[in-house]
Amino acid sequence: MSKEYYKKRIIDLRSYIAREKEAKKRDNERYASLIKGTTSASSKASYRKSKIDAAARHDRQIESYKRNIESAKNSLKRCK
């Protein structure tokens, strides 16, 4: 692959990370409002669990993108 491909890939992955962080923030706010708006204890517990699961899912995706960036950087170094 060419150097330009890896440079573009790194830029794309960084934008994916930013997008994922925004999605995490939106989900966090949504679950917080759901938790605040419900009166049932079981519903609150369920929303809290969902909130934690969603945050963990976003974190795993962000870490995956970071690993892909490192891989692309290493590949870019090998191209030179």
Side-chain angles (χ1 to χ4, degrees):
M1 303 266 179
S2 68
K3 287 190 260 185
E4 290 78 25
Y5 168 80
Y6 290 116
K7 288 178 184 179
K8 183 183 180 314
R9 180 81 175 135
I10 291 169
I11 292 168
D12 290 344
L13 288 167
R14 286 181 179 151
S15 70
Y16 296 159
I17 288 174
R19 195 174 314 138
E20 195 69 31
K21 285 181 180 179
E22 287 299 317
K24 180 180 177 182
K25 189 185 301 184
R26 275 194 314 273
D27 282 350
N28 196 24
E29 290 169 356
R30 183 171 57 91
Y31 281 115
S33 69
L34 288 171
I35 291 168
K36 189 175 182 178
T38 190
T39 56
S40 167
S42 63
S43 293
K44 282 189 182 212
S46 175
Y47 286 141
R48 284 189 183 107
K49 182 182 181 315
S50 297
K51 181 180 177 182
I52 291 168
D53 291 343
R57 186 173 51 250
H58 288 295
D59 289 340
R60 283 191 305 272
Q61 189 63 45
I62 290 169
E63 288 304 314
S64 172
Y65 288 143
K66 287 180 180 179
R67 284 191 303 274
N68 288 340
I69 287 175
E70 289 304 314
S71 174
K73 283 181 180 179
N74 290 336
S75 297
L76 181 63
K77 286 179 186 175
R78 284 195 303 267
C79 280
K80 293 183 178 180

